[in-house]
Amino acid sequence: MLRRWAQTVEGLGFDLLMVSDHIAVTPDVAEQYPAPFYEPFTTLSWLAGVTRRVRLGTTVLIVPYRHPLLTARMAANLNRLSGGRLVLGVGVGWARQEFEALGVPFRRRGALTDEYLHVMRDAWRNTDDYDTTPIPIWVGGNSDAGIRRAVLLGDAWHPLRVTPGWLADAAGRLKATADALGRPVPALMPRIGLRETREVVTAPDRLAGVGTIEQIIADIDQIRLLGAETVVLDPFDGDLTEIRQPGRAWQTLAAVAAYHRSQEDR
């Protein structure tokens, strides 16, 4: 099924395929993301061999779970062997029980993430050893701390599953934070939902990417107007059936791809 997902996405013309990250599927993880779960570097390495063009990424790799030099090595090797196709989305994590299972202090996850990102970037500067082209780092996290981390340590900010109104406001906070810190504004690369409905969704807490195909396309267009270069579409809504029987998701992806091809042909 992973092969079919990857080749379908690439065949439709999308340019990025991303997987998420859990190591120990503890009860708090399983409640939202049932097993089985595939380790991202192993999975992306295999997917690199069954695809040709599509970029490969993590959304998001939980930085404190692994020693930073291990992560730096795996990322550099994957980027090199895939022809420079890796996008490293990173985050601090949220699953307290998983942190406990791995022996990582939950309360220090933010500080560890910052420290480890510095170590990884320092390691990659040794190009003779790591032998890789630059790896873009997309910093996840919807909080002010996540925005600040993206400005200081990332190439892009990668907020996850948000409402359209919230994202428009947050894009302004991203620029204000960068200006206050005297730093360039990182690129905006959000991950939104992808769930098509027959009826228009009017709930005020509607997530971007959820609704009729017209709503989904309008959300994507609005996000692009905010300056986003890439919008990641996430079809998973807690039901494994949707992933194992992906026909509806693929139809929606095809409709989105057809719309954007028509815009490019104008």
Side-chain angles (χ1 to χ4, degrees):
M1 185 57 71
L2 284 170
R3 182 197 296 266
R4 291 179 62 198
W5 267 99
Q7 294 178 341
T8 296
V9 166
E10 188 171 59
L12 288 171
F14 290 96
D15 70 349
L16 177 61
L17 173 69
M18 306 190 90
V19 299
S20 54
D21 179 29
H22 287 287
I23 297 175
V25 184
T26 49
D28 51 352
V29 174
E31 185 176 349
Q32 297 190 42
Y33 303 104
F37 219 95
Y38 293 89
E39 194 282 322
F41 284 110
T42 308
T43 303
L44 292 174
S45 296
W46 181 75
L47 290 173
V50 299
T51 57
R52 294 184 177 183
R53 174 192 57 80
V54 70
R55 290 183 295 163
L56 306 161
T58 53
T59 178
V60 289
L61 189 84
I62 308 305
V63 174
Y65 285 174
R66 300 167 179 84
H67 193 287
L69 292 179
L70 174 62
T71 302
R73 180 69 64 189
M74 291 191 295
N77 291 167
L78 174 54
N79 193 53
R80 173 69 175 176
L81 295 173
S82 68
R85 289 192 280 157
L86 179 63
V87 174
L88 194 65
V90 299
V92 302
W94 56 269
R96 184 183 294 269
Q97 293 173 1
E98 187 172 22
F99 274 85
E100 293 174 353
L102 296 172
V104 179
F106 182 79
R107 291 185 178 181
R108 294 199 62 235
R109 66 194 189 281
L112 288 172
T113 297
D114 294 346
E115 176 188 341
Y116 287 8
L117 288 176
H118 280 295
V119 170
M120 290 159 54
R121 286 196 180 277
D122 287 344
W124 290 334
R125 291 189 180 96
N126 185 346
T127 54
D128 290 337
D129 185 5
Y130 284 86
D131 189 27
T132 186
T133 56
I135 300 170
I137 293 180
W138 295 7
V139 177
N142 297 1
S143 66
D144 289 339
I147 291 175
R148 181 181 177 87
R149 182 172 293 110
V151 169
L152 292 174
L153 298 171
D155 301 296
W157 181 44
H158 184 49
L160 312 177
R161 301 184 69 88
V162 297
T163 66
W166 185 94
L167 187 58
D169 176 72
R173 287 191 283 122
L174 178 67
K175 183 179 186 307
T177 300
D179 290 346
L181 293 171
R183 303 277 296 183
V185 181
L188 176 63
M189 308 289 197
R191 186 181 96 197
I192 66 173
L194 183 72
R195 183 164 61 86
E196 184 179 355
T197 62
R198 294 181 179 179
E199 303 293 333
V200 173
V201 179
T202 59
D205 60 349
R206 178 186 72 88
L207 293 177
V210 175
T212 63
I213 189 62
E214 291 78 14
Q215 285 182 292
I216 293 170
I217 288 172
D219 288 339
I220 296 171
D221 284 344
Q222 181 180 352
I223 293 168
R224 292 177 68 183
L225 290 175
L226 293 175
E229 301 173 15
T230 298
V231 180
V232 179
L233 305 176
D234 180 2
F236 183 65
D237 195 34
D239 184 357
L240 281 180
T241 302
E242 298 174 359
I243 302 301
R244 293 167 176 162
Q245 300 175 1
R248 290 184 59 190
W250 288 353
Q251 289 176 0
T252 305
L253 285 170
V256 171
Y259 170 77
H260 284 284
R261 282 196 299 271
S262 71
Q263 297 301 297
E264 292 172 357
D265 292 340
R266 286 186 176 182

